[in-house]
Amino acid sequence: MEDTLKYLMGSPGPSGFGSGSTAEQVTETTTSSSSHLSSLTAIITGATSGIGAETARVLAKRGVRLILPARTLKAAEETKARILSESPNSHIIVMPLDLSSLSSVRSFVFHFHSHHLPLHLLINNAGKFAHHHAISEDGFEMSFATNYLGHFLLTDLLLKTMVETAEKSGIQGRIVNVSSNVHGWFSGDIIRYLALITRHNSHYDPTRAYALSKLANILHTKHLALKLQEMGANVTANCVHPGIVRTRLTREREGLLTDIGFLLTSKFLKTIPQAAATTCYVATHPRLLNVSGKYFADCNEASTSKLASNSSEAARLWTASECMISDGPKSLVDLLHNQ
């Protein structure tokens, strides 16, 4: 009850920020320690609308050079134009990327590397709620392919550049995975359920599939942070829950029940500037130097579900992900047979 009241009141937590804080507030350059933002380069997925667009707008306002990957280039160019109208000196590059396609991810990374740019921030923000069963061109359930597997490969292919950038610049690199508290709605065997919904649409539950993908984001963060530490890399990886906000992702579920649900929970809804705050805080704030493998909500460290905090599950999913990227969906069946 106490936590709920603090949330409704927007009371700040240990970080000095809370549910009512906005992305602009958490990135205000009020101290010299945050002035380095103008030297950073960031990739932000899903930046053409909602939380991603606000994250991009605020970081550009603070001087960060932006790479905006998008499936629809027209939408990305419109986002770029809106940002430039407010911050005309911004440096923004638009590139094609469909996260549900592993070949598109590889093409994007090749395209990015051709620019010979540094990379300080990778914000894996894009999300999809596939409320009808769909399979990606690589043979995976669409929410999992877009929200998790595409980001897993993207991060893997960009990691060398991030490590090198941190070494040359002396500025710690940061990877931010945008997850959701909905991750706690999934229970059971991750690989088994994924194999099931990949092969049989009769077992498909869109909310459970979405929750699985967001759980996977947290497990990815947890194991990635461990690997970065073992490498001695000056790069951190953290995960965030942006909060409940009515973006295009939730509007895809329009209907009477959805409208009633949002009416009943309206006091808990964040504005988009508030929802982008935790991402911007974790990506830029000096307080988070050397903090890695954590989960944040309302700009403060938070707890995950028991399954999301399981190191063995994180390692298992990592191994499975590497197999999926190299061998396709048949690897899921192989992994189950080898258990």
Side-chain angles (χ1 to χ4, degrees):
M1 183 65 178
E2 183 180 351
D3 288 343
T4 301
L5 288 174
K6 285 182 178 179
Y7 177 88
L8 290 172
M9 294 173 65
S11 301
S15 69
F17 303 108
S19 62
S21 301
T22 66
E24 289 203 20
Q25 289 171 343
V26 303
T27 57
E28 281 177 342
T29 53
T30 54
T31 64
S32 59
S33 59
S34 59
S35 62
H36 72 278
L37 293 185
S38 60
S39 66
L40 303 185
T41 298
I43 292 176
I44 308 173
T45 68
T48 59
S49 65
I51 297 168
E54 177 66 2
T55 300
R57 183 191 73 81
V58 172
L59 292 187
K61 184 175 182 177
R62 303 307 184 205
V64 178
R65 174 168 48 193
L66 301 181
I67 312 299
L68 302 186
R71 188 164 51 92
T72 306
L73 291 182
K74 181 175 182 290
E77 291 291 354
E78 289 171 352
T79 299
K80 177 180 177 178
R82 286 195 299 270
I83 293 173
L84 288 173
S85 68
E86 178 183 355
S87 305
N89 294 324
S90 299
H91 186 182
I92 304 170
I93 302 173
V94 169
M95 296 184 190
L97 172 63
D98 179 354
L99 279 162
S100 72
S101 163
L102 297 179
S103 65
S104 178
V105 172
R106 293 185 176 98
S107 295
F108 166 80
V109 173
F110 178 83
H111 189 190
F112 171 75
H113 283 154
S114 71
H115 287 263
H116 304 289
L117 293 170
L119 182 59
H120 304 88
L121 304 176
L122 173 59
I123 301 176
N124 292 320
N125 164 83
K128 180 180 181 63
F129 186 100
H131 49 101
H132 297 295
H133 185 263
I135 298 296
S136 72
E137 67 178 45
D138 301 292
F140 298 102
E141 188 277 321
M142 191 60 78
S143 288
F144 182 84
T146 305
N147 300 349
Y148 170 72
L149 197 60
H151 281 130
F152 178 89
L153 179 60
L154 179 68
T155 304
D156 184 61
L157 295 178
L158 291 171
L159 202 55
K160 184 172 182 283
T161 300
M162 293 198 71
V163 172
E164 290 175 351
T165 298
E167 288 176 350
K168 293 176 182 177
S169 67
I171 299 172
Q172 190 167 78
R174 298 190 186 188
I175 299 167
V176 183
N177 288 332
V178 178
S179 181
S180 168
N181 277 356
V182 172
H183 79 270
W185 296 3
F186 183 88
S187 60
D189 188 305
I190 297 171
I191 307 303
R192 188 172 299 279
Y193 182 67
L194 183 60
L196 189 66
I197 61 176
T198 295
R199 291 178 293 167
H200 307 290
N201 62 10
S202 59
H203 295 276
Y204 185 69
D205 178 335
T207 301
R208 192 175 185 213
Y210 180 75
L212 182 151
S213 72
K214 291 302 178 180
L215 170 64
N217 290 147
I218 300 176
L219 292 172
H220 175 217
T221 305
K222 187 177 186 68
H223 202 67
L224 176 60
L226 179 63
K227 284 190 167 290
L228 289 166
Q229 183 181 33
E230 291 172 347
M231 292 166 58
N234 190 23
V235 178
T236 63
N238 289 293
C239 201
V240 305
H241 165 59
I244 306 169
V245 59
R246 197 158 204 189
T247 64
R248 188 176 66 185
L249 182 67
T250 53
R251 285 197 298 270
E252 289 176 357
R253 302 194 72 196
E254 290 290 2
L256 179 60
L257 291 177
T258 303
D259 290 339
I260 291 173
F262 272 100
L263 177 64
L264 293 174
T265 61
S266 60
K267 293 296 183 183
F268 293 91
L269 293 182
K270 287 186 176 185
T271 64
I272 287 177
Q274 290 170 340
T278 305
T279 300
C280 289
Y281 172 74
V282 173
T284 67
H285 204 280
R287 181 189 288 268
L288 275 296
L289 185 69
N290 298 323
V291 175
S292 193
K294 305 299 184 181
Y295 177 73
F296 292 83
D298 302 327
C299 300
N300 288 277
E301 190 175 336
S303 300
T304 64
S305 70
K306 184 177 180 180
L307 184 56
S309 64
N310 189 314
S311 298
S312 297
E313 279 299 307
R316 178 173 175 246
L317 178 62
W318 186 284
T319 299
S321 301
E322 291 180 324
C323 292
M324 283 183 267
I325 286 169
S326 60
D327 300 327
K330 72 179 182 64
S331 62
L332 292 169
V333 177
D334 296 338
L335 287 164
L336 290 174
H337 285 163
N338 293 330
Q339 283 185 354

